Amino acid sequence: MITINNPPVNALSPGVPEGIIEGIETAEKDPDVRAVVLIGGGRTFIAGADIREFGKVTSGEKPRFTLHPVLNKIEDSRKPVVMAIHGTAFGGGLEVAMAGHYRIAVGSAQVGQPEVKLGIIPGAGGTQRLPRLAGVAKAAEMCAFGEPVDARSALAAGILDKIVEGDLLTGALEFARGVAGRLAYKTRERNEKLGDPTANAPIFAAVRENARKTRRGQMAPLAAIDGVEAATRLPFADGIAREAELFRVCLFSVQSKALIHAFFGERAVAKIPDIPKGTKTYDIKRAAIVGAGTMGGGIAMNYANAGIPVIVKDTTQDALNRGMATIRKNYENSVKKGRFPQAVLEQRWALITPQLRYAGFEQADIIVEAVFEGMALKRQIFAEIDKIAKPGCVLASNTSTLDIDEIASATTRPEMVIGHHFFSPANVMRLLEIVRGKATGKEVIATSMALAKKLNKVGVLAGNCRGFIGNRMIHCYGREAQFLVEEGASVEAVDHALYEFGMAMGPLAMGDLAGLDVGWRIRKEFKHLEKPGVRVPLVADRLCEIGRYGQKTGMGWYLYDANRTPSWDPDVAVLIEKVAKEAGIQRRTIPAEEIVERTIYALVNEGAKILEEGIALRAVDIDVVYLNGYGFPAWRGGPMFYADTIGLKNVLAKIEEFESKHGPDLWAPAPLLKRLAESGKTFESFDRDKESAAGA
Ligand code: T1G
């Protein structure tokens, strides 16, 4: 028996492949040994190659790594090797398993080739052995999209040979004794499922088209399909060589660096320097939400999805009925799409209790306020729940822009008040911006970070300022998008340029989706803070004044049909020309490159200020916010990582050019950006504590 013991996920770190080779050699030499069982210690089988090693290869610190010696050692073993799988057999983990002669697993296990999520492709024979076990279509889909496959589907596909009930090791030893001494088939010699070029052509055409559509701009999914196609056309050894070429091109790509940055970023944001592991957390077993609107309803679904009973309160029966109807419809859509069965819908539905009064709130472990974005109303709600909530109850606000300290000061327990800023639709978007007030207690922050994981969200801690991290930056991005429209770019041209850049949606279409009236109300709320003489966008307010709030009113920057399909509206073009003329704005042809630079660098410049002020702990926190809350393309790594790839010197030069054209109030370079650019450093290298220590 060979046990992989490399916590936390048994990655194939240096020493592990060597250990497996040694194990097989020992087994081969020992005449009493009739079979080998390879199993993972702890919570999982092998979760892949060690991703941390990739950087050492691309930086030239280490020569390229290869897993083929261990794969061949396993596959060529004269004694059958049984792979016993629990947890996840991902990437190199599944590739090791497929080099084995038999694969058995517990029912809860998952297998997969998620490499494309890191901007690479399977590099240890996955594109060659998987089609031999699972067939061409399944292999192409698994390698191109990287989604996990559950044990039953893997068994049906031919990846697994058996699912064991009960204890894995017992089942594995019994299975191994059953195949001991029998000639074992080598996966690499199994060609019966590889089909022929004619039969395979429509399969590859369909999966390529799907990859181009759903993985827009990404190179790895198409490379992975090329790898699987090579398996159907070339002898095994040539297929392996072709896979290695494709793997190398992807590994050295900026896209892969960006996606690996995103992978580790999502884990790094969970670490808060002044909140050590082991900080006490409150147990969240019951939740209560004030407001059954779009956000309140989506938030309630998150709690119910996590198995936490939740009360939803609103002021009128109509509002409650509307909110509950939306929740029900969302769940029914998920059942229709086969995401989970009706029974799960009923289970989750039963956990949500709509009501008109605060009854039961006194038992809640957390109360989330999700009402309309107005300070007066939020302070009133917090004063009310402060009187009801039990000691130790977390009081969270879903505000997207307002001052957490001002909200907290409406209570007698500001240390229990925190921002939980969900993103619409709250039951879908993965980001949870957790906003720390000056009095917020460390236990409340630790509780919120842990709760984010429980709600299947990515929790990012933000300091308290107007708009926190995400909305403060998006304000500058949206500002520039609107200025560009006033200066001559068409609405479609602005959105198309950002869509081509990789954004999930252009800024103006995004405004229509979120509702232009939301921004309009916030601008009115903060009108008193506007600096006299500083240019502000003009058209959005004019659109709202004539009731064009976006999708919700069937017209905004675009016209929308019953299916919410946008179309160009000549009336908007006329309005824009009129507004620009009234404001004396010269209109000109604007290239797509300038549209991207003005909008994305506005994000970066504001991000640099946020980083220097400590509103964001690290540059990667800003990137994780944008990847999970604002549809920023993961294969660009986020705005701060993107700026690092362009080079901060170049970004600074462009921003200084914009400053000279549009003035310092809008485009004065952030001091941190200037310092890092002039010292040849990156946002990724910026470490506030080190800098302040050096400065001290
Ligand atoms: N390499 C290095 N570190 C890893 C790792 C890996 N493959 N997987 C996880 N970690 C670290 C992670 O950073 C975190 O560290 C800790 O382990 C726990 O992870 C040749 C080239 C397995 C589903 O893409 O999807 O094989 O933050 O918090 O939520 O073709 O980890 O504690 O310091 O995510 O329970 C392919 C990646 C690699 C799988 C567990 N494999 N991992 O989730 O824990 S490429 C993957 C995951 C490859 C071959 C190619 C998840 C998980 P820290 P965690 P989790």
Side-chain angles (χ1 to χ4, degrees):
M1 199 170 87
I2 302 174
T3 305
I4 311 296
N5 194 8
N6 182 27
V9 294
N10 289 330
L12 292 160
S13 313
V16 173
E18 295 79 1
I20 297 173
I21 290 175
E22 207 186 297
I24 301 279
E25 285 168 351
T26 308
E28 294 221 296
K29 284 194 212 104
D30 184 339
D32 295 336
V33 171
R34 308 278 307 295
V36 178
V37 168
L38 194 146
I39 192 166
R43 64 184 170 128
T44 183
F45 188 74
I46 301 166
D50 187 333
I51 304 169
R52 293 185 192 286
E53 292 295 305
F54 297 165
K56 297 174 189 162
V57 174
T58 52
S59 65
E61 186 192 329
K62 268 191 140 178
R64 72 183 183 83
F65 77 95
T66 174
L67 290 170
H68 292 301
V70 63
L71 301 169
N72 297 336
K73 177 60 74 178
I74 294 168
E75 200 163 45
D76 295 335
S77 162
R78 290 188 304 283
K79 303 183 179 175
V81 179
V82 177
M83 298 291 171
I85 299 169
H86 71 300
T88 54
F90 282 171
L94 179 56
E95 290 167 305
V96 164
M98 293 191 289
H101 306 107
Y102 302 95
R103 284 150 294 282
I104 68 167
V106 289
S108 59
Q110 289 186 313
V111 303
Q113 302 281 181
E115 285 89 344
V116 286
K117 297 185 177 179
L118 301 168
I120 53 177
I121 71 166
T127 63
Q128 306 304 304
R129 288 192 173 87
L130 188 57
R132 286 174 160 82
L133 289 180
V136 174
K138 186 72 181 173
E141 183 217 310
M142 285 177 67
C143 293
F145 302 110
E147 297 307 326
V149 173
D150 64 52
R152 288 182 208 294
S153 311
L155 180 71
I159 300 169
L160 297 177
D161 298 289
K162 184 177 181 194
I163 292 184
V164 292
E165 307 305 332
D167 178 59
L168 175 63
L169 181 57
T170 314
L173 293 174
E174 189 190 316
F175 186 95
R177 291 201 175 92
V179 298
R182 249 199 264 152
L183 179 66
Y185 289 108
K186 297 179 181 181
T187 305
R188 70 169 182 256
E189 291 164 0
R190 298 167 69 165
N191 299 332
E192 64 279 8
K193 287 189 175 181
L194 291 179
D196 63 69
T198 317
N200 293 335
I203 295 172
F204 288 122
V207 73
R208 282 196 173 98
E209 195 205 335
N210 188 4
R212 285 198 188 94
K213 218 169 30 194
T214 62
R215 304 294 187 277
R216 224 163 29 88
Q218 299 189 42
M219 61 190 282
L222 297 171
I225 299 165
D226 292 348
V228 174
E229 188 167 27
T232 66
R233 292 177 177 277
L234 303 170
F236 183 80
D238 299 346
I240 287 289
R242 177 73 182 126
E243 177 191 88
E245 277 167 21
L246 293 161
F247 176 82
R248 194 173 170 75
V249 171
C250 290
L251 184 66
F252 282 80
S253 69
V254 173
Q255 290 196 4
S256 176
K257 291 188 179 62
L259 287 159
I260 290 171
H261 167 79
F263 175 85
F264 285 122
E266 220 174 277
R267 279 123 190 115
V269 293
K271 301 177 176 99
I272 315 294
D274 67 332
I275 311 247
K277 243 191 176 143
T279 299
K280 177 184 155 229
T281 57
Y282 295 97
D283 214 359
I284 307 293
K285 289 205 176 72
R286 286 174 174 283
I289 298 175
V290 184
T294 313
M295 294 309 291
I299 296 168
M301 290 176 74
N302 289 313
Y303 280 93
N305 298 354
I308 300 172
V310 55
I311 302 169
V312 183
K313 174 189 179 297
D314 211 310
T315 49
T316 67
Q317 195 55 49
D318 273 2
L320 269 182
N321 296 347
R322 269 199 310 277
M324 293 305 285
T326 305
I327 293 174
R328 183 88 196 177
K329 192 157 148 273
N330 286 338
Y331 277 140
E332 281 162 358
N333 284 343
S334 297
V335 170
K336 267 197 221 115
K337 290 183 188 141
R339 295 224 178 95
F340 48 75
Q342 186 69 22
V344 171
L345 180 155
E346 300 306 343
Q347 229 174 34
R348 293 177 179 184
W349 180 249
L351 289 171
I352 304 175
T353 310
Q355 57 185 64
L356 293 171
R357 300 183 322 288
Y358 278 121
F361 273 57
E362 70 286 351
Q363 290 163 21
D365 302 304
I366 182 167
I367 299 175
V368 184
E369 162 275 311
V371 301
F372 158 90
E373 192 73 348
M375 183 55 84
L377 178 60
K378 289 187 189 287
R379 284 177 57 83
Q380 176 203 326
I381 301 281
F382 271 77
E384 289 167 4
I385 56 180
D386 183 37
K387 294 195 183 67
I388 303 163
K390 67 180 182 184
C393 174
V394 174
L395 306 179
S397 170
N398 181 53
T399 179
S400 58
T401 54
L402 299 176
D403 183 341
I404 291 291
D405 295 333
E406 194 175 341
I407 292 172
S409 66
T411 73
T412 57
R413 52 178 114 178
E415 75 286 357
M416 297 309 292
V417 176
I418 192 163
H420 280 190
H421 177 205
F422 288 82
F423 285 71
S424 182
N427 55 309
V428 176
M429 296 300 283
R430 292 187 68 224
L431 180 65
L432 178 57
E433 200 175 26
I434 295 168
V435 184
R436 155 185 218 163
K438 63 176 180 287
T440 306
K442 292 190 175 178
E443 303 81 11
V444 173
I445 296 171
T447 302
S448 299
M449 298 303 290
L451 179 64
K453 216 168 180 176
K454 204 168 177 182
L455 299 179
N456 205 14
K457 301 291 181 192
V458 182
V460 178
L461 189 67
N464 182 32
C465 69
R466 187 171 145 197
F468 319 129
I469 297 175
N471 280 351
R472 178 172 156 186
M473 290 168 65
I474 210 74
H475 171 73
C476 306
Y477 170 85
R479 175 198 77 202
E480 288 304 312
Q482 294 180 59
F483 284 167
L484 287 156
V485 161
E486 292 170 9
E487 293 165 27
S490 70
V491 171
E492 298 70 28
V494 170
D495 278 349
H496 184 69
L498 272 303
Y499 183 78
E500 286 303 304
F501 174 81
M503 298 298 280
M505 186 183 268
L508 304 167
M510 188 159 83
D512 276 356
L513 176 70
L516 300 178
D517 54 323
V518 179
W520 191 35
R521 255 203 305 276
I522 293 171
R523 283 192 294 279
K524 281 194 241 178
E525 177 108 13
F526 289 103
K527 193 119 192 94
H528 60 289
L529 294 176
E530 274 174 18
K531 197 171 165 193
V534 175
R535 184 182 172 192
V536 292
L538 303 168
V539 179
D541 287 4
R542 302 286 285 270
L543 290 172
C544 290
E545 283 153 19
I546 55 177
R548 300 181 69 117
Y549 295 168
Q551 291 193 11
K552 63 175 97 173
T553 57
M555 55 174 74
W557 291 101
Y558 296 91
L559 268 179
Y560 294 88
D561 64 16
N563 303 322
R564 298 204 168 202
T565 310
S567 61
W568 178 72
D569 186 343
D571 294 349
V572 174
V574 171
L575 176 67
I576 293 169
E577 294 228 10
K578 185 163 171 285
V579 169
K581 195 152 185 266
E582 287 164 6
I585 297 169
Q586 285 302 318
R587 293 169 56 77
R588 58 191 169 91
T589 307
I590 301 178
E593 190 190 7
E594 179 182 344
I595 293 172
V596 170
E597 287 172 341
R598 289 260 301 267
T599 47
I600 300 294
Y601 291 176
L603 278 180
V604 172
N605 202 34
E606 195 63 23
K609 295 175 190 167
I610 282 173
L611 191 51
E612 180 143 36
E613 292 164 23
I615 298 294
L617 289 170
R618 297 151 289 233
V620 72
D621 292 55
I622 296 174
D623 289 334
V624 171
V625 161
Y626 267 76
L627 299 186
N628 294 286
Y630 294 84
F632 197 97
W635 51 274
R636 291 194 187 273
M640 308 314 276
F641 182 88
Y642 173 68
D644 281 346
T645 60
I646 300 287
L648 297 189
K649 264 203 175 64
N650 304 326
V651 174
L652 176 63
K654 193 49 80 171
I655 288 179
E656 285 171 339
E657 185 190 314
F658 293 151
E659 181 190 22
S660 65
K661 283 196 189 127
H662 305 287
D665 288 312
L666 297 171
W667 280 105
L672 174 64
L673 170 62
K674 244 174 161 324
R675 276 203 315 281
L676 292 173
E678 282 153 8
S679 56
K681 291 192 178 138
T682 63
F683 285 127
E684 195 160 13
S685 69
F686 175 68
D687 180 323
R688 182 170 318 95
D689 302 335
K690 250 204 238 118
E691 201 193 56
S692 46

